[in-house]
Amino acid sequence: MSGAHEVDVAVIGAGQAGLSGAYFLTRAGLRPDEGFAVLDHSPGPGGAWQFRWPSLTYAKAHGVHDLPGLPLEGADPARPSAEVVSEYFARYERAFDLRVHRPVNVSAVRETGGGRLLVETDAGAWSARALINASGTWDRPFVPHYPGQETFRGRQLHTAGYRGAAEFAGRRVIVVGGGTSAVQLLMELAEVADTTWVTRRPPVFRDQPFDEDWGRAAIALVEERVRAGLPPQSVVSVTGLAATEAVRAARARGILDPLPAFDRVTEDGVAWDDGRELRADVILWATGFRAALDHLAPLRLREPGGGIRLEGTTRVAKDPRVHLIGYGPSASTIGANRAGRSAVREIRELLAGGAETGRAKAGGTGTSGAEAGGTETGGTAGTTPVRAAALAH
């Protein structure tokens, strides 16, 4: 297309998933900026890790796995994981000459002539025969709606806007959410604040190691939903919470004794329908993230169930040119590495097929996000991290 940079493959995102895909593209013989281009909205290397709170040290980080071809060695466990991983990703990009374009904000991916996809950004357009989408979840922090939420006179923030415990010293903090981040923040905040944990369902702590067999079983459960065209659950939600020595100590101290989900938010805290009330200064929503896929809305990839159905590990059922890495079963650091290899293997086969690799071969035009009742709104992928902290005021 006139004015667009032409490549065989466009890669959106340069976190673990995007870098893995780019690495395997180089191994397949494609050259950066000629055969493929990596577009990343972040200001520097590190993916979502660069935005993690400073007190999340490398020793505390949950599941940092080596990128393919270059191990992460000699990291100081006491350093912030944001620094460790950002430096590692920067070294990785240099080692394999991946030439990541940043900051580049992708607004939309559209069908264009000749079986190609047009990737529209604030830095120009790229025309590609195939797409690896690795845009992650950090730009879509999820906060559930509760009646009265807007009346709360204290502070509300999502974990994406959390920077450390010191600013909450002496405050009454309700942490909402049942995942690993909630547990980590509760243990940290309990040292300086009066904390209460609220979960939608009772947490499950597991003493057994999270070995490869357990991981495969968990991923299989996530794959089942994705293959059914449903929005994916996180891998962590399936595996449960690791009962580490620190977690066991916190449970013994009563820090990790949760209350059931409240029914509404009040001006001064939260309340249950049975008459219980709890006053609070801060509500910290550790309620996870959703996949940042709004830029794919023009391709109409969603199923009636609201998710994007995948064939195999990464290939979108409605358009075989599009691969999602870091979505569903590959939404873990080790899963992203394996998915990168799988996606590139299939993309090589697709590219070898020539001009008949367009949408028509996939069969049908799909269903729009609006028709499916999904969340595709044509928004911008790669909005700044400021949006993630929008609830902090």
Side-chain angles (χ1 to χ4, degrees):
M1 181 176 179
S2 178
H5 307 280
E6 289 201 358
V7 291
D8 285 324
V9 186
V11 181
I12 300 176
Q16 183 104 14
L19 293 182
S20 170
Y23 168 81
F24 286 110
L25 287 170
T26 64
R27 292 286 300 272
L30 278 72
R31 295 175 58 84
D33 288 336
E34 296 176 12
F36 70 92
V38 184
L39 313 176
D40 184 38
H41 79 92
S42 296
W49 286 100
Q50 65 193 285
F51 308 122
R52 303 289 185 180
W53 51 94
S55 55
L56 180 63
T57 62
Y58 182 60
K60 297 178 184 176
H62 181 70
V64 180
H65 192 77
D66 290 347
L67 284 161
L70 183 68
L72 172 54
E73 297 175 329
D76 181 353
R79 290 187 66 200
S81 59
E83 295 179 5
V84 172
V85 178
S86 293
E87 291 176 5
Y88 173 48
F89 281 15
R91 187 166 67 251
Y92 192 87
E93 291 177 17
R94 291 192 301 269
F96 297 105
D97 189 29
L98 299 181
R99 306 182 197 178
V100 177
H101 296 260
R102 63 166 61 92
V104 174
N105 296 309
V106 176
S107 55
V109 179
R110 305 182 188 278
E111 182 70 59
T112 187
R116 299 182 74 91
L117 297 167
L118 184 66
V119 182
E120 299 176 350
T121 84
D122 60 356
W126 275 261
S127 172
R129 298 171 63 195
L131 175 73
I132 290 177
N133 189 87
S135 49
T137 63
W138 187 259
D139 293 318
R140 287 199 62 199
F142 173 71
V143 175
H145 174 73
Y146 281 88
Q149 204 163 357
E150 69 285 353
T151 69
F152 182 61
R153 294 185 294 194
R155 180 183 179 191
Q156 297 185 63
L157 74 159
H158 189 274
T159 49
Y162 178 84
R163 305 308 298 163
E167 62 181 308
F168 303 101
R171 312 300 294 278
R172 297 164 298 183
V173 182
I174 297 175
V175 178
V176 184
T180 301
S181 292
V183 170
Q184 290 173 335
L185 296 184
L186 280 159
M187 293 191 294
E188 186 170 302
L189 287 164
E191 300 302 317
V192 300
D194 178 9
T195 61
T196 301
W197 190 17
V198 172
T199 63
R200 188 173 56 171
R201 60 178 64 90
V204 177
F205 293 94
R206 300 194 181 276
D207 291 313
Q208 68 262 48
F210 288 93
D211 57 19
E212 193 167 334
D213 289 338
W214 180 261
R216 276 198 295 265
I219 289 172
L221 293 175
V222 178
E223 283 181 335
E224 186 177 338
R225 283 183 60 86
V226 171
R227 289 194 180 120
L230 299 172
Q233 292 176 304
S234 70
V235 175
V236 172
S237 72
V238 177
T239 61
L241 297 163
T244 64
E245 184 177 340
V247 167
R248 288 192 291 269
R251 295 183 72 188
R253 292 171 56 194
I255 295 170
L256 299 180
D257 292 336
L259 296 177
F262 45 80
D263 296 296
R264 62 190 179 279
V265 178
T266 67
E267 290 184 353
D268 301 312
V270 299
W272 288 260
D273 286 344
D274 62 9
R276 286 179 296 168
E277 294 189 9
L278 181 65
R279 297 174 70 87
D281 303 302
V282 179
I283 300 176
L284 176 54
W285 301 97
T287 44
F289 299 80
R290 297 292 183 264
L293 300 174
D294 287 351
H295 55 291
L296 301 181
L299 297 178
R300 301 185 174 190
L301 302 177
R302 289 194 184 273
E303 301 288 340
I308 297 177
R309 186 165 64 89
L310 301 183
E311 294 179 342
T313 304
T314 65
R315 187 177 69 255
V316 174
K318 288 185 174 179
D319 195 328
R321 297 168 298 177
V322 181
H323 288 256
L324 305 184
I325 307 181
Y327 177 84
S330 63
S332 66
T333 52
I334 189 168
N337 286 355
R338 293 170 176 167
R341 180 188 296 111
S342 174
V344 171
R345 182 170 57 247
E346 295 193 15
I347 286 172
R348 288 182 66 185
E349 295 174 358
L350 180 142
L351 296 178
E356 292 188 334
T357 58
R359 177 90 185 219
K361 192 174 179 181
T365 58
T367 305
S368 71
E371 292 168 334
T375 58
E376 294 177 328
T377 59
T380 299
T383 51
T384 73
V386 173
R387 189 182 77 174
L391 289 172
H393 57 273

